[in-house]
Amino acid sequence: MGKESLSITDNRTGKAYEVPIEHGAIRGMDLRKIKVSDDDFGLMSYDPAFMNTASCRSTITFIDGDKGILHYRGYPIEQLSEQSTYLEVAYLLLHGELPTADQLSDWAWKITHHTWIHENLKKFMDGFHHDAHPMGMLVSGVAALSPFYPEAKNGTDAETRQLQIVRLIAKMPTLAAFTYRHSLGMPYAYPDNDLSYTGNFLNMLWKTTEAQYKPDPVLEKALEVLFILHADHEQNCSTNAVRSVGSSQVDPYCAVAAGVAALYGPLHGGANEEVLKMLQAIGSKDKIPEFVKQVKEGKAKLMGFGHRVYKNYDPRAKIIKRMADEVFAVTRPNPLLPMALELERIALQDDYFVSRKLYPNVDFYSGLIYQAMGFPVAMFPVLFAIPRTSGWLAQWQEMRADAEQKIARPRQLYLGSALRDYVPIASRNSEEEP
Ligand code: ACO
């Protein structure tokens, strides 16, 4: 192999530069030495939506989008979803290694014993209208944790950081379940320490008058798998929000609230809700070709298809699709499933989707399972936010420990007006307005 560097000739000046290449990248700051004059600011790279910009070095999650591969800390997602539990995966993401039996039981004990939230947070929830979107309530609920734990501002102390991580992972299902109970007008159900992480979440959602809620083991396991699949996905929109907001050294509650807010968007965690709306709007299998035609004409979007990184089948979607039958065996089958399968079949044969490498993403089938399990569509992004919290925190922790990271602050290319004098209102000519 040749030298690990890039030779650049600036045709404006004829000057030549050599820029080192490390890990397949050049440093953006190395471009700044490329100037036309001494007072020139220096060359920048222009990359809206970060299409080709690495914002960090990370050792957490690996994705090969062309091959459809996803690993957490080197472990394939297929093995983790089959053999692990969500709490073990959360430990792996945060600590870098799988826990020993003692470490896992200590970790599970800590999480289990931090699930309660301050009673005043219930009053906060009560303030929302009955029809408030649960994700809106969750964004606010997570941010509202911040003033309850003022010591969390001390991000330099490792022990303090660990405590906030435990609190956030533990309290997320409680807040999420409370948003659901609030929307139903039901009294909040408190955590049950005898249940698993996902079993307890189901308890807080659906417990009514029974002395102890017994989660259905198939649904408990299915949720475990769905939580593992959603735990991290390297530098996606919400993780980037957590890292960016967290780079100001705000406490992790505020940083994670930013992640929840980003996840709320229909192009991100809100997409599975959109998939169901889309399938319902299509109505029947015979209308699929007409819908696909509209997508190709740019009049509609095939929700749950396409991904910034995956240019192949999303490995998470494959696992969810396989799991659907197990779930539907204990719930009622989702009548929208045959339509989704047909839509996928038609799309994957169509040159529009093939040439653009558009395949089903994680959201294409997850909504169908959540709906069959009894979740209203508005809860779907909430179900995503719970497990993604461990990924956000692993990324936040990595960012805080990275000596190269500073407050995140992109540059811009200013294309607005040149310097001009203020015009008093009486002197402005309305006819000159655009
Ligand atoms: N339906 C129809 N066409 C699509 C779709 C889609 N779902 N996704 C991309 N395309 C087309 C674009 O129109 C574009 O076509 P063009 O080259 O003729 O202009 C081409 O495919 C490339 O798409 P981009 O928008 O450049 O891809 P980008 O990486 O910016 O977008 C995104 C990725 C946002 C996920 C997009 O595919 C999309 O909107 N999908 C639907 C929403 C969705 O399912 N989001 C969930 C993503 S997974 C997650 O967040 C957990």
Side-chain angles (χ1 to χ4, degrees):
M1 207 207 291
K3 217 170 151 194
E4 284 288 291
S5 68
L6 183 71
S7 297
I8 301 174
T9 304
D10 185 346
N11 293 324
R12 299 171 301 176
T13 59
K15 280 194 203 158
Y17 301 85
E18 187 161 326
V19 177
I21 298 176
E22 202 182 351
H23 306 296
I26 61 163
R27 283 184 178 261
M29 280 303 284
D30 281 344
L31 298 177
R32 287 273 289 280
K33 62 185 178 197
I34 302 176
K35 299 179 173 203
V36 285
S37 61
D38 283 347
D39 60 356
D40 181 8
F41 182 75
L43 198 67
M44 287 193 284
S45 69
Y46 174 57
D47 188 13
F50 306 121
M51 297 291 284
N52 194 38
T53 295
S55 63
C56 62
R57 296 166 169 200
S58 182
T59 59
I60 302 171
T61 291
F62 171 77
I63 300 175
D64 183 330
D66 289 331
K67 296 195 181 119
I69 288 173
L70 171 62
H71 299 165
Y72 296 159
R73 300 283 191 186
Y75 295 101
I77 194 68
E78 292 78 9
Q79 289 182 20
L80 292 170
S81 60
E82 208 161 291
Q83 299 175 50
S84 189
T85 61
Y86 171 68
L87 279 190
E88 187 179 59
V89 166
Y91 184 99
L92 171 69
L93 289 169
L94 283 151
H95 297 85
E97 297 296 335
L98 287 168
T100 62
D102 283 349
Q103 285 166 335
L104 182 58
S105 83
D106 179 53
W107 172 242
W109 192 93
K110 279 192 202 141
I111 301 286
T112 308
H113 289 81
H114 282 89
T115 48
W116 289 52
I117 56 174
H118 196 287
E119 285 291 290
N120 284 353
L121 263 164
K122 282 184 6 192
K123 294 186 204 153
F124 190 86
M125 284 280 160
D126 287 341
F128 288 106
H129 283 190
H130 71 280
D131 57 356
H133 196 291
M135 198 62 170
M137 289 191 257
L138 190 68
V139 177
S140 323
V142 175
L145 289 172
S146 165
F148 285 94
Y149 305 107
E151 78 276 17
K153 282 194 184 71
N154 183 5
T156 50
D157 179 55
E159 214 174 300
T160 309
R161 279 207 304 264
Q162 282 310 307
L163 180 57
Q164 314 320 313
I165 287 172
V166 166
R167 281 179 175 150
L168 265 161
I169 294 174
K171 293 181 199 311
M172 208 65 174
T174 315
L175 283 172
F178 282 19
T179 68
Y180 176 69
R181 302 281 286 209
H182 177 79
S183 59
L184 293 181
M186 285 175 75
Y188 305 116
Y190 283 70
D192 180 341
N193 290 0
D194 292 332
L195 297 175
S196 70
Y197 189 78
T198 52
N200 175 49
F201 178 50
L202 295 174
N203 156 66
M204 291 187 289
L205 292 168
W206 289 321
K207 182 177 170 21
T208 50
T209 55
E210 60 274 53
Q212 191 179 34
Y213 179 83
K214 287 201 175 44
D216 183 309
V218 174
L219 300 189
E220 190 180 0
K221 171 69 185 155
L223 209 51
E224 199 84 56
V225 173
L226 286 158
F227 278 10
I228 291 171
L229 297 180
H230 287 88
D232 194 49
H233 214 234
E234 51 118 308
Q235 307 311 313
N236 55 85
C237 176
S238 56
T239 301
N240 183 53
V242 171
R243 277 186 175 258
S244 184
V245 171
S247 75
S248 72
Q249 302 196 349
V250 71
D251 67 64
Y253 302 103
C254 293
V256 168
V260 184
L263 193 65
Y264 193 2
L267 294 188
H268 193 9
N272 51 10
E273 184 172 346
E274 299 301 316
V275 171
L276 285 201
K277 284 189 202 153
M278 172 189 75
L279 292 172
Q280 276 154 358
I282 296 172
S284 59
K285 273 197 202 177
D286 56 310
K287 307 246 173 64
I288 291 175
E290 174 54 29
F291 175 72
V292 169
K293 188 166 160 270
Q294 284 180 13
V295 172
K296 287 158 65 175
E297 287 167 3
K299 294 180 187 153
K301 206 166 213 185
L302 177 41
M303 299 309 287
F305 258 65
H307 198 276
R308 172 62 55 81
V309 179
Y310 291 119
K311 301 302 166 197
N312 200 326
Y313 216 110
D314 182 335
R316 301 167 299 173
K318 265 191 203 156
I319 296 168
I320 295 177
K321 192 177 167 187
R322 273 202 303 268
M323 203 173 67
D325 289 336
E326 284 168 39
V327 173
F328 295 156
V330 294
T331 63
R332 267 174 305 156
N334 193 320
L336 296 174
L337 180 66
M339 257 211 312
L341 291 169
E342 180 65 0
L343 187 51
E344 179 192 329
R345 193 188 66 76
I346 292 179
L348 293 186
Q349 287 177 356
D350 193 299
D351 188 55
Y352 175 93
F353 299 93
V354 175
S355 62
R356 288 170 177 77
K357 298 187 175 167
L358 300 172
Y359 291 87
N361 61 46
V362 69
D363 288 318
F364 194 66
Y365 288 107
S366 61
L368 295 173
I369 295 192
Y370 288 141
Q371 194 181 43
M373 286 170 85
F375 291 106
V377 284
M379 279 298 284
F380 295 176
V382 172
L383 293 164
F384 194 153
I386 298 170
R388 184 53 61 86
T389 300
S390 59
W392 287 330
L393 290 166
Q395 302 274 351
W396 169 78
Q397 182 180 249
E398 188 177 65
M399 184 265 304
R400 291 299 309 253
D402 184 343
E404 280 204 313
Q405 292 292 340
K406 294 169 175 246
I407 187 163
R409 205 308 187 179
R411 294 281 178 180
Q412 64 166 11
L413 304 179
Y414 177 71
L415 303 179
S417 299
L419 180 66
R420 50 184 171 165
D421 287 325
Y422 178 79
V423 181
I425 196 159
S427 314
R428 290 176 215 161
N429 186 348
S430 59
E431 280 166 22
E432 284 173 13
E433 295 272 323

